[in-house]
């Protein structure tokens, strides 16, 4: 958990962002930043489609910005339209800048704080990975 800018963020891996978990955290006034699987259903312009299929329609000109986080550069498409279970959330579709914008290279991140800018969402997500590595090492030690 991170407490930044007077907000608390729960960072979770793709196994955990269920509707119930997200709602429980939102009730506690915690925001959630979660990695998502690429089969997430989104609704751009009212069309229902999985993110892994939607990727083929994204043009380089659709990319909101190029983001650098910890010396790595990413191309980011910010999706802010409807999600099935969340009214107020953002999904970032992310590719490393030196890789092609294909489904195979796609990384999806959810933020229930729609006011966070893309670079901060990705920056906070990088903290999740170091915590996961710590927990794995601690479990191996025990």
């Amino acid at each position: 958990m991170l407490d930044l800018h007077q907000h608390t963020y729960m960072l979770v891996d793709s196994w955990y962002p269920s509707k119930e978990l997200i709602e429980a955290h939102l009730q506690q006034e915690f925001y959630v930043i979660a990695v998502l699987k690429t089969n997430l259903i989104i609704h751009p312009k009212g069309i229902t489609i999985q993110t892994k299929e939607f990727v083929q329609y994204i043009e380089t000109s659709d990319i909101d910005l190029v983001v650098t986080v910890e010396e790595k550069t990413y191309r980011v498409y910010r999706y802010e339209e409807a999600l099935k279970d969340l009214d107020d959330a953002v999904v970032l579709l992310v590719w490393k800048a030196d890789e092609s914008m294909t489904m195979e290279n796609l990384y999806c991140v959810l933020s229930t704080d729609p006011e966070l800018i893309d670079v901060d969402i990705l920056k906070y997500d990088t903290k999740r990975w170091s915590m996961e590595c710590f927990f794995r090492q601690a479990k191996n030690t025990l």
Side-chain angles (χ1 to χ4, degrees):
M1 227 181 309
L2 291 176
D3 190 4
L4 303 164
H5 306 294
Q6 305 303 318
H7 297 296
T8 301
Y9 294 89
M10 179 60 86
L11 308 175
V12 297
D13 196 10
S14 62
W15 291 100
Y16 302 103
S18 67
K19 176 183 177 184
E20 295 79 16
L21 178 126
I22 291 171
E23 286 178 354
H25 284 87
L26 291 174
Q27 288 175 356
Q28 297 297 317
E29 298 184 7
F30 294 171
Y31 290 108
V32 175
I33 295 176
V35 175
L36 299 174
K37 296 179 181 180
T38 59
N39 63 353
L40 173 73
I41 301 292
I42 58 176
H43 308 280
K45 300 185 181 181
I47 300 167
T48 300
I49 190 168
Q50 289 184 329
T51 52
K52 65 183 179 183
E53 295 169 3
F54 180 66
V55 166
Q56 66 184 324
Y57 300 107
I58 298 174
E59 302 288 333
T60 306
S61 60
D62 295 329
I63 299 299
D64 292 330
L65 67 140
V66 175
V67 174
T68 301
V69 177
E70 295 184 6
E71 300 180 19
K72 294 182 182 173
T73 305
Y74 303 93
R75 288 180 279 198
V76 178
Y77 178 89
R78 186 178 178 105
Y79 174 81
E80 295 187 74
E81 295 182 49
L83 290 174
K84 179 182 175 189
D85 297 323
L86 294 172
D87 294 331
D88 207 15
V90 169
V91 175
L92 300 183
L93 306 181
V94 182
W95 298 266
K96 291 180 182 175
D98 61 347
E99 295 180 346
S100 61
M101 290 175 45
T102 61
M103 190 277 297
E104 292 80 22
N105 297 326
L106 177 64
Y107 183 76
C108 300
V109 182
L110 167 82
S111 172
T112 59
D113 182 356
E115 295 182 15
L116 267 182
I117 61 173
D118 300 350
V119 69
D120 286 342
I121 293 169
L122 293 175
K123 193 181 303 181
Y124 299 164
D125 180 60
T126 63
K127 305 299 182 205
R128 177 193 56 80
W129 184 246
S130 62
M131 287 185 278
E132 286 188 30
C133 291
F134 168 77
F135 287 132
R136 172 175 257 172
Q137 291 170 349
K139 283 171 61 176
N140 287 340
T141 302
L142 294 174

